[in-house]
């Protein structure tokens, strides 16, 4: 068979691309403004809708004026470059605060509405935090008792604070300040047991926002979600994408994160056209027919590996996004539509190609680029890079000079992500996992060492080791293996209660196993795979006596068996009983969504997340299910 010259040339091009180094550049980009874009929309379209907070509408003029009042009240105490911890939920109050701090030149440090007291203590011991903004009743004790400045923030609407203050503590602050030019800083998991803070410049965020507008067409008249948890940086993409596009921002009610049905109903009822969501939240939606009456045109998902492609019935363009906080929220994306030949493919999609202004390099252990098609560590450079950590030594270790070959014009440093990837011939990336011990739980990067340190702060604990167990679909959960101090007999429940003040929700293990010691490998190190294998042992864990098994009782109802079996399987904790409360047993928002989906699939009864959380225990939740399954007699 004789090949045509065109076919030979095409094959040669593919071979050349495959043998090329794993270096790829996104389209050219130039930083623009963030605050200035919002202020421009406020001048040009003052009556346009900026925030839709249930029945209340905030125009761009309203939002601009509210932010000006807050900035004026803070101006005497908060200076440009000061770190300000924001302890608010997704709300109009949060939006006003973000604009006010940007106007002051202060650095927005989102901590979530209920930051753990010890976690905040660690942050304020390390960082020079000027004040915390939030509901005084929910602030840590040191700030509850400090000087308060009442702020004119909205106290009605979705997730609104009952009241809002700027709280100034009397104690000596930490010494680390944000680098000059920072717009915001976010906390990431730290191997020392203390969270790391990474600072991002306005110019870097502007490049990501410019891409978002161009890729999704977000414009006046559109509605953008504010859904991502406030402690995590993707919420900044949502917030500022709307405000720099002349679009409306819609804060999400809290129950949307617990129930995928509620999430899609909210998308529908709010008339959302654009949304950002964590991958574990969206995946259950892909396992059932896609709602056909949504206005949603673009959905950006990220935070965890996507395990299948959307089907041909998904009417929304889905963008599979990847990006560490150190590279400003989004670094690569892969766009998927219902008309794609691969639609519905059950294999994981790639994490995509570089955004504008982004340089990708896949390297070996020495920092040299590997050939395309080979595995290696992803390093990222370009306009997307954060200014660095607030710890200069850590910045020097993670943000490194580029390799001498090949030359990378205009790239003076690369961030080592620690992620194992493979670059394809077309420059797209396949995500293969982590090179270190960091893991993703419910879309959030967790350093097991940070969780271990939280346990070891307890005087009842001599040592702790945290392992990760994954179910058949690849979803992970944390298990803590705790060796008690001599003479101490702590219960797993007590230990979990103690670490909740140190850790964000996603980092709290679903189970604690009390052990006498840890297995060691040939090098004398803790054998984590062996520990993880022990955690798979079906012997009961937790405070329940080993002889107790509610499923063995003849009196267990069909609903009790369904609920208890499902919860045990989802959490991997065979010791859970009907007398346990869902949250106390380690249930999270992601697990709740899966439990509710299983119940509906098996029984046809749709229950809501608040009904699960309000139930005194799993037995009460099963009784509610029984009640809904039993048809009422005529006339009742």
């Amino acid at each position: 068979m004789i090949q045509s010259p065109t076919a030979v040339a095409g094959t040669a091009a593919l071979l050349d691309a495959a043998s090329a180094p794993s270096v790829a550049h996104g389209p050219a980009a130039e930083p623009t403004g963030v605050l200035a874009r919002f202020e421009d929309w406020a001048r040009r379209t003052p009556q346009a809708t900026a925030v839709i907070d249930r029945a209340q509408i905030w125009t761009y003029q309203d939002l601009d004026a509210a932010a000006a009042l807050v900035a004026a009240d803070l101006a005497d105490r908060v200076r440009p470059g000061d770190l300000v911890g924001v302890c608010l939920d997704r709300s109009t109050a949060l939006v006003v605060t973000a604009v006010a701090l940007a106007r002051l030149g202060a650095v927005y440090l989102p901590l979530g509405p209920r930051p753990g007291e010890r976690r905040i203590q660690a942050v304020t011991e390390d960082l020079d935090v000027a004040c915390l903004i939030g509901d005084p009743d929910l602030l840590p004790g040191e700030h509850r008792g400090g000087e308060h400045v009442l702020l004119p923030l909205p106290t009605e609407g979705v997730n609104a604070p009952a009241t809002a203050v700027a709280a100034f503590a009397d104690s000596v602050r930490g010494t680390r300040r944000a680098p000059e030019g920072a717009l915001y800083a976010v906390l990431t998991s730290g191997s020392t047991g203390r969270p790391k803070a990474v600072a991002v410049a306005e110019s870097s965020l502007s490049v990501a926002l410019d891409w978002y507008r161009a890729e999704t067409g977000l414009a006046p008249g559109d509605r953008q979600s504010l859904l991502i948890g406030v402690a995590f940086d993707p919420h900044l993409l949502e917030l500022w994408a709307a405000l720099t596009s002349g679009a409306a921002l819609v804060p999400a009610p809290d129950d949307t994160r617990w129930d995928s049905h509620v999430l899609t109903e909210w998308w529908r009822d709010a008339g959302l056209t654009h949304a950002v969501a964590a991958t574990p939240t969206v995946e259950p939606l892909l396992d059932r027919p896609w709602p056909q009456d949504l206005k949603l045109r673009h959905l950006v998902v990220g935070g965890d590996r996507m395990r299948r492609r959307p089907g041909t019935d998904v009417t929304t363009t889905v963008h599979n996004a990847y990006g560490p906080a150190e590279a400003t929220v989004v670094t690569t994306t892969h766009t998927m539509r219902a008309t794609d030949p691969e639609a519905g493919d059950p294999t994981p999609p790639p994490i995509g190609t570089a955004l504008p202004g982004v340089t990708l390099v896949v390297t070996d252990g020495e920092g040299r680029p590997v050939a395309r098609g080979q595995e290696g560590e992803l390093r990222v450079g370009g306009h997307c890079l954060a200014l660095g950590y607030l710890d200069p030594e850590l910045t020097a270790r993670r943000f490194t000079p580029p390799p001498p070959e090949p030359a990378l014009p205009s790239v003076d440093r690369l961030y080592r992500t620690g992620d194992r990837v493979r670059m394809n011939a077309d420059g797209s990336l396949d995500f293969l996992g982590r090179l270190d011990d960091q893991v993703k739980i419910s879309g959030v990067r967790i350093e097991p060492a940070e969780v271990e340190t939280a346990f070891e702060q307890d005087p009842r604990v001599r040592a702790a080791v945290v392992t990760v167990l994954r179910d058949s679909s690849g979803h992970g959960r944390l298990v803590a293996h705790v060796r008690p101090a001599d003479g101490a007999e702590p219960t797993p429940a007590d230990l979990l209660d103690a670490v909740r003040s140190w850790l964000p929700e996603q980092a709290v293990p679903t189970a604690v196993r009390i052990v006498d010691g840890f297995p060691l490998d040939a090098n004398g190190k803790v054998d984590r795979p062996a520990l993880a294998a022990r955690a798979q042992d079906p012997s009961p864990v937790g405070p329940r006596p080993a002889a107790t098994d509610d499923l063995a009782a003849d009196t267990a109802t069909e609903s009790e068996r369904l609920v208890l079996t499902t919860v045990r399987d989802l959490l991997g904790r065979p010791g859970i009983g009907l007398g346990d409360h869902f949250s106390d047993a380690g249930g999270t928002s992601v697990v709740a969504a899966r439990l509710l989906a299983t119940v509906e699939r098996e029984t046809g009864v749709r229950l809501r997340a608040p009904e699960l959380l309000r139930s005194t225990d799993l037995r009460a939740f099963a009784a509610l299910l029984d009640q809904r399954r039993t048809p009422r007699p005529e006339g009742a």
Side-chain angles (χ1 to χ4, degrees):
M1 179 177 176
I2 300 176
Q3 287 185 298
S4 69
T6 303
V8 172
T11 302
L14 288 174
L15 289 173
D16 288 343
S19 61
S22 293
V23 177
H25 305 278
E30 287 297 329
T32 56
V34 175
L35 179 63
R37 276 188 175 274
F38 161 74
E39 293 177 332
D40 185 49
W41 283 112
R43 286 190 299 268
R44 290 166 52 192
T45 59
Q47 299 307 314
T49 300
V51 180
I52 301 173
D53 191 350
R54 289 186 176 143
Q56 187 171 4
I57 301 296
W58 290 72
T59 66
Y60 272 79
Q61 179 176 275
D62 295 335
L63 186 58
D64 184 64
L69 289 176
V70 173
D73 285 349
L74 291 173
D76 290 341
R77 298 289 299 271
V78 176
R79 304 297 182 188
D82 280 353
L83 285 161
V84 175
V86 179
C87 305
L88 298 169
D89 209 342
R90 300 155 297 186
S91 61
T92 304
L94 178 79
V95 181
V96 172
T97 299
V99 175
L101 294 180
R103 187 163 284 164
L104 287 170
V107 182
Y108 172 92
L109 176 64
L111 300 171
R114 294 175 179 81
E117 188 151 346
R118 290 176 175 173
R119 183 174 177 84
I120 291 298
Q121 181 181 354
V123 170
T124 54
E125 285 174 354
D126 291 344
L127 308 182
D128 184 7
V129 178
C131 64
L132 300 184
I133 292 178
D135 185 330
D137 291 338
L138 301 179
L139 294 179
E142 190 175 20
H143 286 82
R144 283 198 303 272
E147 179 187 353
H148 291 175
V149 174
L150 185 65
L151 298 177
L153 288 170
T155 54
E156 295 182 357
V158 173
N159 302 322
T163 186
V165 302
F168 297 83
D170 296 331
S171 62
V172 178
R173 301 180 192 170
T175 58
R176 290 175 180 162
R177 294 179 57 81
E180 184 177 353
L183 174 69
Y184 70 88
V186 291
L187 301 182
T188 65
S189 192
S191 59
T192 63
R194 303 176 78 88
K196 303 173 294 187
V198 60
V200 177
E202 180 179 15
S203 58
S204 296
L205 181 61
S206 77
V207 174
L209 295 173
D210 290 346
W211 162 81
Y212 189 90
R213 286 191 298 271
E215 182 70 18
T216 70
L218 184 64
D222 287 332
R223 297 185 179 189
Q224 167 69 53
S225 68
L226 182 58
L227 172 66
I228 299 296
V230 173
F232 310 114
D233 59 319
H235 86 275
L236 285 149
L237 181 70
E238 298 181 281
L239 190 154
W240 286 109
L243 299 186
T244 58
S245 303
L249 195 62
V250 187
D254 191 57
D255 56 357
T256 56
R257 70 190 183 101
W258 289 89
D259 190 328
S260 57
H261 283 290
V262 174
L263 177 62
T264 53
E265 285 182 358
W266 175 65
W267 286 346
R268 179 188 300 109
D269 295 343
L272 289 177
T273 58
H274 295 68
V276 177
T279 307
T281 304
V282 172
E283 281 190 324
L285 302 178
L286 302 180
D287 293 330
R288 58 175 187 258
W290 187 260
Q292 295 300 297
D293 54 352
L294 299 179
K295 294 182 179 179
L296 195 66
R297 301 200 308 271
H298 290 272
L299 173 61
V300 177
V301 299
D304 206 341
R305 183 187 304 192
M306 199 171 191
R307 291 169 176 82
R308 56 162 293 183
R309 297 171 186 262
T312 56
D313 63 332
V314 177
T315 56
T316 301
T317 298
V318 179
H319 307 268
N320 185 30
Y322 162 87
E326 293 85 349
T328 316
V329 188
V330 183
T331 307
T332 68
T333 59
H334 177 72
T335 300
M336 295 169 285
R337 300 177 176 86
T339 54
D340 294 341
E342 304 88 358
D345 193 319
T347 59
I351 57 174
T353 54
L355 263 63
V358 172
T359 292
L360 307 173
V361 184
V362 183
T363 70
D364 60 18
E366 302 300 321
R368 297 183 295 261
V370 300
R372 296 197 180 191
Q374 294 183 4
E375 299 178 9
E377 180 183 9
L378 175 61
R379 304 191 187 209
V380 179
H383 291 305
C384 66
L385 281 198
L387 294 168
Y389 298 105
L390 272 60
D391 178 347
E393 293 182 3
L394 182 59
T395 300
R397 290 199 301 272
R398 301 296 294 183
F399 292 81
T400 61
E405 295 292 338
L408 302 176
S410 303
V411 175
D412 58 356
R413 60 194 182 122
L414 295 172
Y415 169 66
R416 297 186 60 181
T417 67
D419 288 326
R420 186 165 56 89
V421 300
R422 176 177 53 241
M423 183 175 288
N424 301 308
D426 62 357
S428 66
L429 295 177
D430 293 326
F431 181 83
L432 305 176
R434 290 288 301 175
L435 293 169
D436 56 20
D437 289 336
Q438 277 192 349
V439 296
K440 282 285 184 74
I441 302 295
S442 298
V444 179
R445 277 193 297 166
I446 303 296
E447 191 87 53
E450 180 177 9
V451 184
E452 293 163 359
T453 301
F455 277 95
E456 290 166 0
Q457 302 292 330
D458 193 316
R460 297 170 295 179
V461 175
R462 181 172 182 178
V465 176
V466 172
T467 61
V468 182
L469 297 184
R470 298 195 180 275
D471 59 23
S472 58
S473 61
H475 296 287
R477 61 184 182 87
L478 297 178
V479 176
H481 309 260
V482 173
R483 182 181 179 186
D486 291 342
E489 296 182 356
T491 67
D494 288 343
L495 294 174
L496 285 173
D497 286 343
V499 300
R500 284 193 171 97
S501 66
W502 285 98
L503 301 169
E505 176 192 359
Q506 289 82 354
V508 177
T510 60
V512 172
R513 297 179 68 90
I514 305 298
V515 299
D516 295 328
F518 306 117
L520 304 179
D521 62 18
N523 296 319
K525 297 181 179 180
V526 174
D527 191 338
R528 290 175 184 268
L531 267 181
R534 288 184 185 179
Q536 296 280 19
D537 186 344
S539 59
V541 289
R544 183 169 305 281
T548 300
D549 187 353
D550 290 323
L551 291 183
D554 294 336
T555 56
T557 68
E558 183 180 350
S559 293
E560 288 175 344
R561 292 179 182 278
L562 172 63
V563 168
L564 187 54
T565 300
T566 304
V567 172
R568 286 178 173 181
D569 289 345
L570 289 173
L571 294 177
R573 295 187 61 194
I576 292 171
L578 290 170
D580 291 317
H581 185 273
F582 174 77
S583 296
D584 293 341
T588 65
S589 57
V590 173
V591 174
R594 293 178 190 153
L595 170 61
L596 296 170
T598 299
V599 166
E600 182 176 7
R601 183 177 65 249
E602 295 297 325
T603 69
V605 176
R606 182 179 170 194
L607 297 172
R608 302 298 187 96
E611 294 173 312
L612 170 63
L613 301 178
R614 287 196 299 263
S615 298
T616 54
D617 52 29
L618 294 177
R619 180 178 285 107
F621 180 66
L624 178 62
L625 175 58
D626 269 329
Q627 179 183 341
R628 299 286 175 83
R629 294 173 76 171
T630 304
R632 294 186 177 183
E634 290 189 19

